[in-house]
Amino acid sequence: MKHCIIIGGGIIGLSCAYFLHKSGHQVTVIDQSKMDGGASYVNAGYLAPSHMIPLSAPGVMKQGIKWMFDRKSPLYIKPRLNSDLIKWSWAFNKSCNASHVERVIPIMREIAVMGRDLYDQIKQEEGFDFQLEKKGLFMLCQTEQTLHHELELVEIAHKEGLVARGVSAAEVQQMMPDTTLDIVGATYFECDHHTTPGAFMNELKTYLVNAGVVIRQEEKVVDLGVKNGEITFVKTDKEQLKADEYVLAAGSWASMLSRKLNIPLLLQAGKGYRIETTRPTGITYPSILAEAKIAITPMSGCTRFAGTMEIAGINQRINTQRVDAIAEGVQRYFPEVSVTPEEKAQAASGLRPVSPDGMPYIGKSTKCKNLTIATGHAMMGWSLGPSTGKLVQEVIDEVTPSMDMALFHPDRKF
């Protein structure tokens, strides 16, 4: 048995804690927040093997430059002279090519299917009560051009063994009869599931505490002691702690600590937003508005609208223009669904750690023997939480991992 300290208490950190505890280790989780908000709580709740295509796909950088001048655009990169952003942007641009996408699709599909199935396994084994529905996911399209592109993605899904198909606007309307849609057609990924994130996070925290995992919230790691390529202690703003193994699962903040170990993780914080309504919407299936890049999820007690990727440094300020863009986008596809000023005023944001190639960093750097890194999941953090936790446990236990982890290596070059 080892004592493992996990830095970060979001979905990635708690998933690592779960699997390390199940493997017999003593576990401590440290998080600087109250652990009741941020990306792990405000995401769309999708368990989405359909999302195999990385953010760094052909044409994205070119489109991103155009969107730089539109604060309501789906992807907004705030122009600023910052060396980390310049390095990240250069690496991101290099990754935006077809051969990269082709290489990562099978591995992203594998880790996403693994994550989806582990949510189900945890629910069954622990008797959790969180919402987990296997209703699939629609990609709703308002133009024939977008529909054509989405149908190409269905073909890719078929090659990867996923269940998906094109559907007519009439069929979507028939499946959601209590709302009105303005679309030309859609694709339907039956392979995807959805959840209510806050419910799962709360159940998982309760389980871990009852199991003896120590959770230290509102405590910030401010320094690391290092000797002969190993971490000897972590220093927080409250005290100094020692362990045998350390896990860096601090999301968008991870690169601040990795620098202390001379591990230059290229990461940018991608801010996403969510709005909720408890009023009836008639939207009964998870749906992504393809052109607007907005996700809609029917959750326990509400309908959640989530979206945008705002790369503007580490801050959690609410940009009302982007909240407005989500509300306006929803009404374009669902003319009878409107978001009230009061609902927009309650919008929340979360920061997702984005790597330049759209792949997470999972594994040990050659620069530190007793540190395992688990960050950089971008928009897939919720989908990949349990699978990342399982892989981290396998790395620390030095057993053969459940899948090939080469493309996740923290030392990879861009």
Side-chain angles (χ1 to χ4, degrees):
M1 181 183 79
K2 295 178 179 179
H3 180 204
C4 304
I5 287 180
I6 299 168
I7 304 170
I11 182 59
I12 304 298
L14 292 190
S15 294
C16 293
Y18 174 83
F19 284 103
L20 286 168
H21 161 72
K22 296 292 274 191
S23 189
H25 299 292
Q26 178 189 351
V27 181
T28 299
V29 178
I30 308 172
D31 194 277
Q32 63 186 348
S33 75
K34 293 181 180 179
M35 295 175 63
D36 59 359
S40 296
Y41 295 82
V42 306
N43 65 81
Y46 294 164
L47 311 180
S50 63
H51 288 35
M52 301 171 290
I53 309 295
L55 182 62
S56 55
V60 172
M61 194 64 181
K62 184 178 178 182
Q63 183 64 62
I65 292 170
K66 291 179 183 176
W67 277 340
M68 263 188 178
F69 305 99
D70 179 4
R71 288 178 176 272
K72 288 188 175 183
S73 63
L75 170 63
Y76 175 62
I77 303 174
K78 183 180 180 180
R80 60 197 193 281
L81 285 174
N82 175 281
S83 61
D84 288 341
L85 176 62
I86 291 167
K87 290 174 188 173
W88 181 91
S89 299
W90 179 258
F92 181 82
N93 187 50
K94 282 177 66 179
S95 298
C96 290
N97 62 77
S99 61
H100 168 67
V101 171
E102 190 174 330
R103 186 168 64 253
V104 306
I105 281 175
I107 207 82
M108 288 302 287
R109 174 236 178 246
E110 186 177 358
I111 191 172
V113 168
M114 179 181 166
R116 179 199 66 186
D117 294 348
L118 283 172
Y119 273 100
D120 207 0
Q121 180 182 312
I122 293 169
K123 184 180 175 76
Q124 302 307 320
E125 286 187 5
E126 311 304 344
F128 286 1
D129 193 40
F130 69 95
Q131 177 199 23
L132 173 58
E133 293 196 52
K134 305 174 182 181
K135 298 180 75 170
L137 172 70
F138 282 122
M139 297 293 298
L140 304 178
C141 304
Q142 287 193 316
T143 67
E144 293 291 348
Q145 181 182 2
T146 302
L147 181 58
H148 176 73
H149 172 69
E150 294 299 331
L151 288 169
E152 289 177 340
L153 298 183
V154 166
E155 290 304 311
I156 293 173
H158 288 166
K159 290 175 185 174
E160 294 299 323
L162 300 175
V163 180
R165 60 188 171 93
V167 291
S168 67
E171 186 177 350
V172 179
Q173 185 68 77
Q174 189 176 14
M175 292 172 73
M176 291 197 282
D178 296 326
T179 192
T180 301
L181 294 113
D182 182 4
I183 59 171
V184 299
T187 55
Y188 181 41
F189 289 87
E190 296 179 53
C191 53
D192 290 3
H193 301 167
H194 75 278
T195 60
T196 299
F200 178 75
M201 291 295 287
N202 289 334
E203 282 193 285
L204 185 55
K205 280 184 291 188
T206 299
Y207 169 86
L208 291 172
V209 170
N210 290 341
V213 170
V214 176
I215 295 182
R216 302 170 69 112
Q217 59 190 45
E218 295 187 274
E219 186 167 350
K220 184 177 182 179
V221 174
V222 295
D223 204 1
L224 303 169
V226 184
K227 186 176 181 181
N228 298 327
E230 289 194 39
I231 297 173
T232 53
F233 65 85
V234 295
K235 182 181 179 183
T236 75
D237 52 7
K238 294 181 179 176
E239 63 180 298
Q240 193 166 293
L241 303 166
K242 293 184 177 183
D244 303 302
E245 293 279 345
Y246 299 83
V247 178
L248 182 57
S252 297
W253 291 263
S255 57
M256 296 178 182
L257 288 172
S258 74
R259 283 194 197 103
K260 295 179 182 293
L261 302 165
N262 196 29
I263 302 171
L265 291 181
L266 287 182
L267 278 179
Q268 285 295 310
K271 190 190 299 180
Y273 294 83
R274 74 101 177 99
I275 312 170
E276 290 177 346
T277 181
T278 56
R279 295 173 295 117
T281 62
I283 302 171
T284 52
Y285 284 80
S287 304
I288 291 180
L289 314 182
E291 292 87 358
K293 305 288 191 289
I294 293 167
I296 304 178
T297 315
M299 293 188 178
S300 298
C302 71
T303 302
R304 177 172 289 184
F305 312 112
T308 85
M309 176 67 80
E310 177 185 345
I311 295 176
I314 292 186
N315 73 80
Q316 291 173 298
R317 294 187 296 272
I318 300 294
N319 182 331
T320 56
Q321 287 180 300
R322 302 190 71 72
V323 174
D324 289 341
I326 293 173
E328 291 162 8
V330 170
Q331 197 160 25
R332 284 201 304 274
Y333 291 73
F334 293 91
E336 295 176 358
V337 177
S338 60
V339 178
T340 68
E342 293 76 19
E343 289 162 346
K344 287 195 284 187
Q346 296 299 311
S349 69
L351 298 177
R352 297 159 294 188
V354 185
S355 70
D357 60 359
M359 303 283 281
Y361 297 110
I362 309 172
K364 286 185 181 289
S365 167
T366 57
K367 296 177 180 178
C368 189
K369 299 172 190 172
N370 62 342
L371 174 72
T372 305
I373 294 169
T375 188
H377 296 72
M379 296 168 291
M380 290 295 284
W382 188 254
S383 284
L384 307 185
S387 43
T388 299
K390 181 64 178 169
L391 292 172
V392 165
Q393 170 256 309
E394 291 168 342
V395 167
I396 288 174
D397 284 345
E398 298 181 357
V399 299
T400 303
S402 299
M403 60 179 291
D404 184 355
M405 296 175 61
L407 291 179
F408 304 144
H409 203 290
D411 293 340
R412 64 185 183 270
K413 303 299 180 185
F414 297 101

